[in-house]
Amino acid sequence: MAPRTRAALLTMTGLSAIGVLAGCASTGTADAGSGTAGSAPAATTTTTPAAGSGATSGTATTSGAYKDGSYTEQGTYSSPGGKEVISVNLVIASDAVKAVTVKTVKADPTATQYQNKFIGGIGDAVVGKKIDDLNVTNVAGSSLTSQGFADALGKIKTDAKA
């Protein structure tokens, strides 16, 4: 079965392609979109911290290389439709991601579709992982949105430095 077919099958069954296909290389590319660059409806996902994790918005305690707290930055990337922008919020505690929220800020209609797929799978890819171990390259078939996430992550790491 081709990698693209496996990814589609996993997406349809609600499984995370990241978790099941970890280590598999992706050779698919995003489809070129038509439409104009402009505001798109915001898409959001929030993965909340586990009960008792102690991660709350506004904390600024230091437990390692990064200050515990909630950090939000925008990330940009280029798509066939132009420059796209996402907003990334990470809750960090003990140098690990406790929660993630990603929102569409500016995207053409095709990019918005890929961003929505990314938003649906990013929590499984990053929550519970050490911030320095994150290397998000493709989530739910959206490799370009991952570039915007990486851009925002770099800014968040700078913001959160202890």
Side-chain angles (χ1 to χ4, degrees), residues 43-49 89 91 98-103 119-120 122-123 127:
T44 303
T45 190
T46 301
T47 304
T48 55
N89 174 270
V91 175
K98 298 300 178 189
V100 61
T101 303
V102 176
K103 296 179 183 178
I119 287 168
I122 190 62
V127 173

Side-chain angles (χ1 to χ4, degrees), residues 18 24 26 118 134-139 142-147:
I18 294 296
C24 294
S26 174
F118 179 89
L134 298 181
N135 184 19
V136 178
T137 58
N138 188 333
V139 174
S142 180
S143 58
L144 295 179
T145 307
S146 298
Q147 293 172 14

Side-chain angles (χ1 to χ4, degrees), residues 84-118:
E84 312 297 348
V85 183
I86 59 171
S87 175
V88 176
N89 174 270
L90 293 180
V91 175
I92 301 169
S94 301
D95 294 342
V97 176
K98 298 300 178 189
V100 61
T101 303
V102 176
K103 296 179 183 178
T104 296
V105 175
K106 179 192 154 310
D108 75 13
T110 301
T112 298
Q113 290 176 5
Y114 282 100
Q115 287 180 8
N116 288 337
K117 291 178 184 180
F118 179 89

